[in-house]
Amino acid sequence: MRPFSIKTKLGTLVVVSVFITTGLMMIAVRTETELRFITVFSMIATLLITQFVAHSLTAPLDEMNTVARNISHGDYTSRVKGADRRDELGDLAQTINRMADDLEAQERQRKELVANVSHELRTPIAGLRAVLENVVDGVSAADPETMRTALKQTERLGRLVETLLDLSRLDNGVVPLRKRRFEVWPYLSGVLKEANMVVSARGGISSGSGTHTRTDVHLHLDVSPPELTAHADPERIHQVVANLIDNAVKHSPPHGRVTVRARRGDRPESLDLEVLDEGPGIPQSEWHRVFERFNRGGVVAPHGPGSDGGTGLGLAIARWAVDLHGGRIGVAESQRGCRIRVTLPGLPPLAG
């Protein structure tokens, strides 16, 4: 039992009341005072002490009730005082304040999400509308070049909507994992070849983080040992690698090099992945924010030539896919450019 808990205070109240009553009764016996006066004095003293203790207990509850009512009405800025109390009410005050902090953060993220999504949707819609208005008004003809421009804006809009749906499914936990054993070298080689084919065929890598036309960036694969295998969901790992490559290519200098490196992890069938670029890198103060939704980083001119800047969703999807595997993803120290490290746990440990 804690020395300042409510149980201790109530127990102390009972003991003090008994001592007061007993003391007054002994005084009454020795001084031959009438019992009725002693009883009245005992009741008054006990009521005063009880009122003092009750006020110290009910006043914080009234404040908590007010704060809870404000939170239920959408005011997440209210906080309960007395969180430093060393009793159950102090614990309850801390819990309510933490809940208010979480709700305030979620509300802020919701507003930012609505604002960012509105901004991202406005850009392709405005571009598509401008193209169609020019065609309708006769300013430009509906030739293949104009239609390709409209198609490009439509595809960008579709990619954004599909990415938001992916994030929604991840948030709701409805994305199942289909783990299996696969060889890392041919798998990653296929991911890199697909990225190069998309650049050549469509002039940009399609992903949740935008498109780019960086045909000058060289993609390099480094897997050791060559027979390395891993146990994971290939489709989700494809999302991770494709988005990390997409982000690295965007930030690469002209004729830069992006390296995808794979090594064996600590556990059976585990995997350590790294994607390195030669760009300006990420300030260490921004490391904890790079995987947030719609975050594009704080570096000056972060995107390479031909990049549209993206939506800032690619790394968020990569983080969610890694989290589904129970792995880790983060920015690692690098002498040049940026290095993103992914750790996948592989096979679960055998039950002893």
Side-chain angles (χ1 to χ4, degrees):
M1 183 179 296
R2 293 184 294 184
F4 297 99
S5 67
I6 295 178
K7 292 180 180 179
T8 302
K9 293 177 181 178
L10 293 177
T12 303
L13 173 63
V14 173
V15 172
V16 170
S17 300
V18 171
F19 270 114
I20 291 175
T21 303
T22 303
L24 291 176
M25 291 295 294
M26 293 176 63
I27 293 174
V29 171
R30 291 185 180 182
T31 60
E32 298 182 355
T33 306
E34 291 187 14
L35 183 61
R36 57 181 180 178
F37 294 118
I38 297 300
T39 303
V40 171
F41 291 151
S42 176
M43 292 176 59
I44 293 176
T46 303
L47 287 175
L48 290 175
I49 296 176
T50 303
Q51 178 66 21
F52 175 77
V53 175
H55 177 75
S56 67
L57 297 179
T58 58
L61 293 176
D62 293 337
E63 183 185 5
M64 293 176 190
N65 185 41
T66 301
V67 172
R69 188 182 299 111
N70 293 338
I71 292 176
S72 67
H73 292 160
D75 179 12
Y76 304 121
T77 61
S78 299
R79 295 295 184 272
V80 179
K81 300 177 182 178
D84 56 345
R85 292 171 57 112
R86 291 181 291 177
D87 57 9
E88 291 84 353
L89 292 177
D91 295 342
L92 182 57
Q94 292 178 8
T95 302
I96 293 177
N97 288 341
R98 283 196 297 267
M99 179 187 68
D101 291 338
D102 294 340
L103 290 174
E104 186 178 14
Q106 291 181 8
E107 178 67 12
R108 183 172 60 253
Q109 292 174 0
R110 183 189 67 82
K111 291 180 179 179
E112 291 176 355
L113 177 64
V114 172
N116 287 322
V117 170
S118 300
H119 174 75
E120 295 298 335
L121 290 175
R122 187 191 309 120
T123 302
I125 290 176
L128 180 61
R129 179 178 179 179
V131 172
L132 295 179
E133 284 181 348
N134 289 338
V135 172
V136 172
D137 296 339
V139 177
S140 60
D143 52 22
E145 183 64 28
T146 302
M147 292 297 100
R148 276 194 295 270
T149 302
L151 178 61
K152 184 178 180 180
Q153 297 296 336
T154 304
E155 289 176 342
R156 181 182 178 188
L157 183 61
R159 283 193 299 271
L160 176 61
V161 173
E162 184 63 29
T163 301
L164 293 173
L165 290 176
D166 286 342
L167 285 177
S168 177
R169 287 192 288 265
L170 289 170
D171 286 341
N172 294 327
V174 297
V175 179
L177 283 180
R178 297 180 176 88
K179 294 184 179 182
R180 64 176 178 85
R181 182 177 178 270
F182 61 91
E183 297 183 5
V184 176
W185 174 272
Y187 173 76
L188 292 180
S189 179
V191 177
L192 268 65
K193 287 181 180 178
E194 180 180 336
N196 284 324
M197 289 175 58
V198 172
V199 170
S200 301
R202 299 185 58 186
I205 293 179
S206 300
S207 76
S209 56
T211 61
H212 56 74
T213 56
R214 302 298 308 281
T215 57
D216 61 318
V217 178
H218 175 64
L219 303 182
H220 175 68
L221 180 60
D222 177 13
V223 178
S224 180
E227 66 275 9
L228 180 64
T229 60
H231 187 267
D233 186 334
E235 183 177 354
R236 298 303 159 203
I237 301 306
H238 186 285
Q239 284 182 301
V240 175
V241 178
N243 281 302
L244 292 181
I245 292 175
D246 182 67
N247 182 74
V249 170
K250 280 189 176 75
H251 293 77
S252 294
H255 308 288
R257 179 188 181 99
V258 172
T259 301
V260 179
R261 182 181 298 165
R263 296 291 186 268
R264 181 177 286 113
D266 298 332
R267 290 165 52 179
E269 304 293 340
S270 61
L271 183 64
D272 289 342
L273 278 173
E274 292 183 349
V275 177
L276 305 91
D277 63 57
E278 300 176 343
I282 302 174
Q284 191 167 359
S285 60
E286 295 288 324
W287 283 10
H288 67 289
R289 297 186 63 248
V290 296
F291 298 100
E292 295 178 359
R293 301 179 187 184
F294 298 102
N295 178 61
R296 296 181 177 87
V299 297
V300 179
H303 308 295
S307 170
D308 66 3
T311 63
L313 291 172
L315 292 183
I317 291 179
R319 183 191 66 180
W320 256 268
V322 173
D323 288 345
L324 284 174
H325 285 80
R328 300 189 305 273
I329 184 172
V331 184
E333 291 281 356
S334 179
Q335 295 181 352
R336 181 183 182 186
C338 175
R339 179 168 62 149
I340 304 293
R341 175 181 295 168
V342 176
T343 302
L344 300 175
L347 292 174
L350 297 176

